[in-house]
Amino acid sequence: MHRLLLKRSLKTPCYYTLKTPLRTTLRATTKHMYSKPVIPVYCALGFHHVDKTKAVRMGTVKAPASPSEIEQIESQYVSRHLPVRICQYIIRFIDEWILEPILTLRRFAHILIIFVPVVVTAPILFFGQTVDGEDTTGTLWWYDFLATQMERAGPTFIKLAQWVASRTDLFPLALCSRLSKLHSNVDPHPFSYTKRVIEEAFGRPLDQVFTELDPIPLGVGAIAQVYKARLRPDVLLDHPSEQFTLEENIMTSDSVQILDKQGKPIVLHTAVAIKVLHPKARQIVQRDLIIMHYCAKLLTLIPTIHWLSLPDEVRVFGEMMKEQLDLRGEAHNLKRFNEYFEHTHNVKFPKALDAFTTRDMLLEEHEKGIPLDVFLKQASWTRERGLEGVFDHKIADIGLNAFLHMLIFYNFVHADLHPGNIMVEFFRPSAYHPLRLAWSKLMGHELIDDGELAVNRILAVKEDPGKLQKELEALEKEGYSPRLVFIDTGLVNELNEVNRRNFLDLFQAIARFDGYRTGELMVERCKSPELVIHPDVFALRMQNLILGLKQNTFHLGAVKIGNLLHETMNMVRSHHVRLEGDFVNIVVSIMLLEGIGRQLNPDLDLLKNALPVLRDYSIKEGGKVALENMKSPQANGHWIKVWIFLELRNYLGRNTRDEEWLQLCDILCPNT
């Protein structure tokens, strides 16, 4: 009998004895009987049944089918029996046209009960004293009440609140600030459901896939929850592509050394994180989206909010939610990020196991790191006492440079960069030296990276700022460097040609101080130019905003780019300039990252950090091609222009030649 270790806690492990043998052995007759991928009739009709032998039936005993292969076969399966197909049609008809409308109406009644008080209390918006010259106390109370009710309404509305918080171009900042703090207050689904999903996906008993699986979730989100487990090495050997994904030459506590099928010793990283969708998550989200769509159409009848075009925004939000409900999309995003940052040691993304990922389940490399919040709190503690932060400036620079590479080089940006999705690890740069790695690989020796020990040392004292400060100083003396790990990549931003050009114009305006033209372009390229209020005034306000920056060009470290973009979003909202969601998300990401970076380094200069990235980009583009691109507004030559201006600013700033810089700006940017 094989025992599967299922930890209830780190101190009290509990062993569940499973009655399945360690390896399934099928007789030749059984193998012949199931040589074709037959799906039982009761499964075809939609009745629940966990088939723990289908991996072998759809594959072979020596090479069972992977979850992705099983999912593909089942999705393409059509019964050969006419009565079965008729029954399937009847079941779908009853489900889509009778049960779903009834359940949607019931959900609508529940939402109505939650949000009627919000509508009834709306008049309080006009009462109370003005705070900070913007909102009344009544308005702030109503925003808090709305946030509370959205949290009560469930996962879809929590996601909606977080999405609204990112649209500072459409909604007031005070509301966005409150909604951005909402977290998923969702009860975890039972482990029995997770076990069923995993066994259905793998088509095998649980103990044939994992040696350990902690039934206590690492985290619970609005639509899924995450567990930690250890894969059986033989499962990886059955799938060479996934073996290569988790194969490495660096030994950690999660690694095992085994022989591959050719008899060569290899090191495998067996610790994985398993993300499993909540039960009926898709059905719940679909009902909520239907309700939101009809409510948005109703609200559009109000003249003052017609410019928001709420049905379009609900459609965009719905597409975003559907992307998150297919975990294969997150696996694809992880794969792209790993390709882009393959040779960067201080930035890391977990590696996804594509063959073991389905719509409902994602397997990825488990990363043990320190939450970024620990360093943000420690930075505040050290500043209060006048102490020097140890790794604060490095962490801020690594995060900002990673974002700039996503934006400028790859046009593929992580769209959910809040501190909860960023962790910090430690590593010794010497362990990753190319010569040392090549020599160890040649000699067949594995390198030992004790960065995990450093992480454990920090986690042990994270509640005591004094001890934490001493431990960080000790790590710095021992030669450790920080590494940022980005997780939860379900949402990404890729700017299309129009949005990318809009963003580049705005970014270029910060360096060129050509605010009026930028204002004109933003109006021309917005979704509804005909609905913009006073476009000339908007362009003049943009000009004044950029001109104010011009006088402080040598002190941009003291100028918060996030505040500049925030003021821009305020003007966009007040003049009804509807921008594309991806464009706004990039702006919000810059504001958020700069805010995080300045908590670690108050003197953070966004444009100074952008300079080396732009240099690398100009080299990548090539000199002659880059100069030709500068003439074309459709090409990426905008980045080259920004680079030239920043180089001039950097050179003249070092020589304190302020007047020459301002004269040069007047020559190059006559519109200002």
Side-chain angles (χ1 to χ4, degrees):
M1 309 294 289
H2 179 61
R3 294 190 303 175
L4 178 63
L5 174 62
L6 298 178
K7 300 179 184 176
R8 286 187 178 176
S9 68
L10 294 176
K11 296 181 180 179
T12 58
C14 177
Y15 293 87
Y16 292 87
T17 303
L18 302 181
K19 295 184 179 180
T20 11
L22 192 61
R23 193 75 176 166
T24 303
T25 306
L26 297 180
R27 296 179 181 179
T29 55
T30 308
K31 180 181 177 183
H32 175 72
M33 188 170 113
Y34 293 113
S35 59
K36 294 182 180 180
V38 179
I39 296 178
V41 172
Y42 47 82
C43 291
L45 291 175
F47 297 103
H48 171 69
H49 173 73
V50 179
D51 185 355
K52 299 181 182 180
T53 62
K54 61 183 177 183
V56 175
R57 288 192 288 104
M58 297 180 182
T60 64
V61 175
K62 293 184 178 180
S66 68
S68 62
E69 292 169 340
I70 292 173
E71 184 178 52
Q72 184 178 9
I73 291 171
E74 291 181 337
S75 66
Q76 296 174 350
Y77 175 77
V78 178
S79 176
R80 293 173 295 178
H81 306 290
L82 180 62
V84 173
R85 294 202 299 271
I86 293 174
C87 289
Q88 287 176 330
Y89 175 80
I90 294 173
I91 290 172
R92 282 198 301 268
F93 180 84
I94 293 173
D95 181 57
E96 293 177 10
W97 297 98
I98 298 176
L99 292 179
E100 272 303 310
I102 293 173
L103 293 173
T104 302
L105 286 173
R106 188 182 71 170
R107 174 64 175 160
F108 176 70
H110 179 232
I111 292 174
L112 208 59
I113 293 172
I114 291 175
F115 286 103
V116 162
V118 176
V119 177
V120 171
T121 57
I124 202 172
L125 289 165
F126 304 101
F127 297 93
Q129 297 179 345
T130 303
V131 179
D132 296 331
E134 292 187 3
D135 300 299
T136 64
T137 52
T139 300
L140 298 179
W141 178 90
W142 191 82
Y143 288 163
D144 288 328
F145 183 52
L146 174 62
T148 302
Q149 296 302 92
M150 293 190 80
E151 190 172 22
R152 290 181 57 197
T156 311
F157 285 86
I158 292 173
K159 286 289 184 182
L160 176 64
Q162 294 170 349
W163 176 81
V164 167
S166 71
R167 297 306 304 267
T168 54
D169 61 320
L170 301 180
F171 304 99
L173 177 66
L175 175 62
C176 294
S177 175
R178 282 155 175 77
L179 294 181
S180 67
K181 297 175 183 177
L182 282 188
H183 297 287
S184 303
N185 188 18
V186 181
D187 294 329
H189 63 246
F191 179 72
S192 58
Y193 174 79
T194 297
K195 180 174 179 288
R196 190 178 77 200
V197 170
I198 295 173
E199 289 185 335
E200 281 184 347
F202 277 93
R204 291 192 267 178
L206 211 60
D207 67 328
Q208 292 186 13
V209 181
F210 302 104
T211 57
E212 294 180 22
L213 177 56
D214 190 344
I216 306 300
L218 292 175
V220 181
I223 59 176
Q225 59 194 49
V226 182
Y227 299 85
K228 181 184 178 182
R230 288 182 184 271
L231 273 172
R232 294 179 62 87
D234 55 313
V235 173
L236 290 171
L237 292 178
D238 290 338
H239 300 87
S241 60
E242 306 313 323
Q243 170 192 325
F244 178 76
T245 299
L246 295 185
E247 185 179 345
E248 53 187 25
N249 199 39
I250 305 292
M251 283 293 293
T252 67
S253 64
D254 290 328
S255 302
V256 294
Q257 188 176 42
I258 61 172
L259 298 178
D260 63 11
K261 293 190 176 182
Q262 285 74 38
K264 297 179 180 179
I266 58 173
V267 177
L268 294 178
H269 186 89
T270 58
V272 294
I274 311 171
K275 179 181 283 191
V276 179
L277 284 184
H278 291 312
K280 299 182 180 178
R282 289 192 187 86
Q283 294 91 321
I284 294 171
V285 169
Q286 183 61 32
R287 292 167 197 157
D288 287 344
L289 289 176
I290 291 172
I291 295 168
M292 288 179 189
H293 176 72
Y294 285 106
C295 291
K297 280 191 170 182
L298 187 63
L299 289 172
T300 306
L301 299 176
I302 303 174
T304 54
I305 64 173
H306 176 71
W307 75 277
L308 292 174
S309 189
L310 291 178
D312 288 342
E313 299 301 334
V314 169
R315 179 185 54 79
V316 172
F317 172 71
E319 291 174 356
M320 181 198 74
M321 288 298 298
K322 289 173 183 176
E323 287 178 9
Q324 290 190 290
L325 289 169
D326 188 345
L327 297 180
R328 294 172 299 183
E330 183 171 350
H332 175 71
N333 294 341
L334 284 172
K335 185 177 181 180
R336 286 187 62 179
F337 278 123
N338 274 287
E339 290 173 355
Y340 292 145
F341 291 92
E342 181 180 4
H343 302 294
T344 307
H345 294 309
N346 56 14
V347 174
K348 191 173 184 181
F349 290 84
K351 296 174 183 176
L353 305 177
D354 291 339
F356 302 150
T357 297
T358 64
R359 292 181 70 203
D360 297 333
M361 180 188 72
L362 166 67
L363 257 70
E364 63 183 37
E365 181 183 15
H366 177 264
E367 298 290 348
K368 185 176 183 180
I370 306 159
L372 183 62
D373 279 329
V374 173
F375 291 87
L376 296 179
K377 293 176 182 176
Q378 186 67 14
S380 176
W381 183 85
T382 53
R383 277 198 303 274
E384 289 175 0
R385 287 156 181 77
L387 301 176
E388 184 82 18
V390 183
F391 294 108
D392 295 349
H393 289 198
K394 283 186 179 180
I395 292 173
D397 289 341
I398 292 171
L400 194 53
N401 288 339
F403 173 80
L404 290 170
H405 274 84
M406 294 180 205
L407 176 64
I408 297 172
F409 270 80
Y410 313 126
N411 187 26
F412 193 73
V413 181
H414 192 311
D416 198 11
L417 286 174
H418 61 79
N421 285 339
I422 305 174
M423 298 189 298
V424 180
E425 294 180 345
F426 288 96
F427 72 103
R428 291 184 187 271
S430 58
Y432 294 87
H433 193 281
L435 293 178
R436 189 172 179 184
L437 286 172
W439 178 255
S440 64
K441 195 169 184 179
L442 181 65
M443 301 301 295
H445 299 153
E446 68 278 357
L447 294 174
I448 298 178
D449 182 9
D450 54 359
E452 188 176 342
L453 297 177
V455 170
N456 291 333
R457 286 163 58 182
I458 297 300
L459 291 175
V461 297
K462 67 177 183 178
E463 303 298 335
D464 188 332
K467 292 182 180 179
L468 178 57
Q469 183 70 9
K470 292 179 181 178
E471 201 64 57
L472 290 171
E473 292 172 354
L475 291 180
E476 186 180 38
K477 291 179 182 177
E478 294 169 21
Y480 285 96
S481 290
R483 172 196 288 134
L484 292 189
V485 181
F486 297 94
I487 60 175
D488 197 4
T489 61
L491 290 176
V492 295
N493 285 324
E494 285 186 275
L495 297 179
N496 59 32
E497 183 179 332
V498 174
N499 294 342
R500 189 170 173 82
R501 191 163 64 247
N502 288 343
F503 178 79
L504 295 177
D505 287 336
L506 180 61
F507 200 97
Q508 185 185 12
I510 297 174
R512 290 187 58 196
F513 314 112
D514 191 359
Y516 190 86
R517 180 56 183 157
T518 300
E520 287 183 328
L521 290 173
M522 290 176 70
V523 171
E524 292 171 7
R525 299 171 185 175
C526 73
K527 284 186 175 181
S528 307
E530 70 280 359
L531 297 178
V532 175
I533 300 174
H534 304 305
D536 292 338
V537 176
F538 174 76
L540 286 171
R541 291 181 67 185
M542 281 294 300
Q543 182 184 30
N544 291 334
L545 184 65
I546 300 301
L547 283 176
L549 181 66
K550 180 178 178 180
Q551 304 301 324
N552 297 306
T553 185
F554 292 114
H555 309 287
L556 282 178
V559 176
K560 296 183 178 180
I561 301 300
N563 286 355
L564 176 72
L565 295 175
H566 161 57
E567 290 181 38
T568 303
M569 291 299 103
N570 279 343
M571 290 190 293
V572 163
R573 186 173 60 254
S574 62
H575 287 271
H576 295 185
V577 182
R578 287 190 65 233
L579 303 175
E580 291 288 345
D582 289 340
F583 170 78
V584 178
N585 287 337
I586 293 291
V587 173
V588 171
S589 296
I590 293 177
M591 295 164 63
L592 181 61
L593 269 182
E594 192 195 39
I596 295 172
R598 283 182 180 270
Q599 291 182 59
L600 296 168
N601 178 13
D603 297 325
L604 184 72
D605 187 340
L606 175 64
L607 297 183
K608 183 178 179 181
N609 280 68
L611 190 52
V613 180
L614 290 168
R615 286 173 186 161
D616 293 342
Y617 180 79
S618 65
I619 294 172
K620 175 191 171 186
E621 285 291 293
K624 185 176 180 180
V625 175
L627 291 174
E628 290 177 356
N629 284 345
M630 288 176 63
K631 303 174 183 178
S632 173
Q634 285 77 22
N636 291 334
H638 281 305
W639 287 126
I640 312 300
K641 296 179 184 178
V642 174
W643 167 57
I644 292 173
F645 274 89
L646 292 183
E647 289 284 11
L648 289 170
R649 169 213 173 206
N650 190 49
Y651 170 74
L652 295 175
R654 286 200 307 266
N655 294 277
T656 63
R657 298 160 71 177
D658 302 52
E659 292 184 3
E660 290 185 29
W661 167 253
L662 294 176
Q663 290 173 4
L664 181 63
C665 289
D666 290 332
I667 294 171
L668 296 177
C669 312
N671 290 335
T672 62

